[in-house]
Structure formats: C-alpha cells, structure tokens
Amino acid sequence: QVQLVESGGGLVQPGGSLRLSCAASGSIFSINAMGWYRQAPGKQRELVATITSSGSTNYADSVKGRFTIFRDNAKNTMYLQMNSLNPEDTAVYYCNANMRITGSFLSNVSWGQGTQVTVSS
C-alpha cells in the first residue's frame, strides 16, 4: 500500500559528499517522523538522523556537523546531505517513516530497501 524508495548511494572518495533521497508513495494520508539509519558489515543497524513532520531534527553524534536531514512534505520525500564523508560512513543506508494510510486511523512504520554508500579512495 505504501512504499519507501531510497536513491543516491554510490562510491565516493574520503572528504566527498553524497545526497540520499527517500521517496514515499502509495495511499498516504500523512507522514509523521522520518529517519535515516545505516548498517555496516558485521554491525547492528544504527540511527543516523531523524526529522519530525514539523522539521525538528536529531542526529547521531558521529554525523553531527557533517550530515543534514531535511524533507519536502509536498513531495513526500526526505533527504540526507552527507558531507566530509569518511570510510567509517560506509554502510547500507535505510530510510523509515511513520505513515498513516488513507482510510486507516493507525500509523505504521515502513522501511526502504536500502542504498549502499561506500567511502573509499
């Protein structure tokens, strides 16, 4: 009924930048909080950043000052601008969103399929 699709991942050199996108589609009535998570090989999935429907943000300490999360509510899309990337940022990045489906009074969390970010020289 609803789908989240990430894009924008790829290979980048240390110090470089990437912008990830997460587009929500389907029978969406409203989108509440959204977030980016990442999972490196052999590690647990960890929070990167979150953003509420009103634009309040929260970041992991490891990305503060380098990453910026923002959203375009008119397009049901969230972004993650990543600057000053380093090899420790290499991971699969996932987006999630708490969404209310049209015709339902309940909200559920959906996840995207993930996009690979590799930081290497």
Side-chain angles (χ1 to χ4, degrees):
Q1 289 180 319
V2 295
Q3 186 177 18
L4 294 175
V5 178
E6 301 103 331
S7 60
L11 173 64
V12 63
Q13 292 186 340
S17 298
L18 281 175
R19 178 177 291 186
L20 305 182
S21 299
C22 172
S25 62
S27 302
I28 300 169
F29 179 81
S30 62
I31 303 177
N32 302 315
M34 304 181 77
W36 287 99
Y37 293 74
R38 66 187 182 186
Q39 187 167 17
K43 295 187 177 181
Q44 291 187 332
R45 189 173 298 188
E46 65 176 1
L47 170 72
V48 175
T50 61
I51 185 167
T52 67
S53 57
S54 60
S56 295
T57 60
N58 180 58
Y59 296 92
D61 288 343
S62 60
V63 306
K64 282 181 181 177
R66 300 188 299 121
F67 291 10
T68 302
I69 186 172
F70 58 102
R71 61 194 282 177
D72 184 335
N73 291 331
K75 295 182 179 180
N76 288 339
T77 301
M78 174 182 63
Y79 305 90
L80 184 68
Q81 177 66 41
M82 304 185 294
N83 299 327
S84 301
L85 285 161
N86 58 62
E88 290 70 39
D89 296 315
T90 295
V92 177
Y93 284 70
Y94 298 90
C95 67
N96 80 353
N98 185 300
M99 297 184 285
R100 181 178 163 187
I101 299 171
T102 301
S104 172
F105 292 102
L106 301 177
S107 295
N108 294 290
V109 175
S110 296
W111 289 87
Q113 82 288 349
T115 185
Q116 177 70 47
V117 172
T118 301
V119 184
S120 176
S121 56

